[in-house]
Amino acid sequence: MVPGPDYCYGCPDTDKDGVCDKYDLCYDQKGTLNCLGCPDYDGDGLCDKEDLCPIDSGSLKNNGCPEINIPIEIKQRKISRNYNSCYFGNKGFVAKT
């Protein structure tokens, strides 16, 4: 039997990720110390098992998924009722005409 690395005091680190098998939750997959030896494929700091988007890097507040900005355009629309009318202007407020 071959002794393990010095940082494991001779005990094994099968996947050679720097986390000794004794503490490695994923001893057969190369992982990170932050994830206790489990993978973080996209490197965003969120372990794959908790990451909703493990292939795409994203923020913790977005559960590991990238933020998507979709432009929203508000078009004018007239609403008539009993000779009173309102419209939604381009700033989203309601004004009487």
Side-chain angles (χ1 to χ4, degrees):
M1 184 170 162
V2 178
D6 290 342
Y7 59 84
C8 290
Y9 302 101
C11 294
D13 178 11
T14 304
D15 55 16
K16 297 178 177 47
D17 61 1
V19 182
C20 307
D21 287 355
K22 181 178 180 179
Y23 305 105
D24 197 328
L25 298 179
C26 303
Y27 65 88
D28 58 343
Q29 296 177 309
K30 196 169 195 126
T32 65
L33 184 59
N34 182 50
C35 293
L36 299 175
C38 291
D40 176 13
Y41 182 81
D42 56 16
D44 61 4
L46 199 59
C47 308
D48 287 352
K49 64 182 178 181
E50 299 165 354
D51 196 331
L52 295 182
C53 300
I55 296 173
D56 300 312
S57 183
S59 66
L60 180 62
K61 74 174 185 169
N62 211 30
N63 298 309
C65 293
E67 292 191 30
I68 300 172
N69 295 319
I70 301 173
I72 298 173
E73 182 180 331
I74 299 174
K75 297 187 180 212
Q76 285 189 346
R77 164 173 71 153
K78 290 194 176 192
I79 303 169
S80 297
R81 182 174 176 238
N82 297 333
Y83 303 104
N84 291 325
S85 63
C86 300
Y87 73 95
F88 294 94
N90 61 359
K91 302 223 184 247
F93 62 89
V94 177
K96 286 187 176 182
T97 57

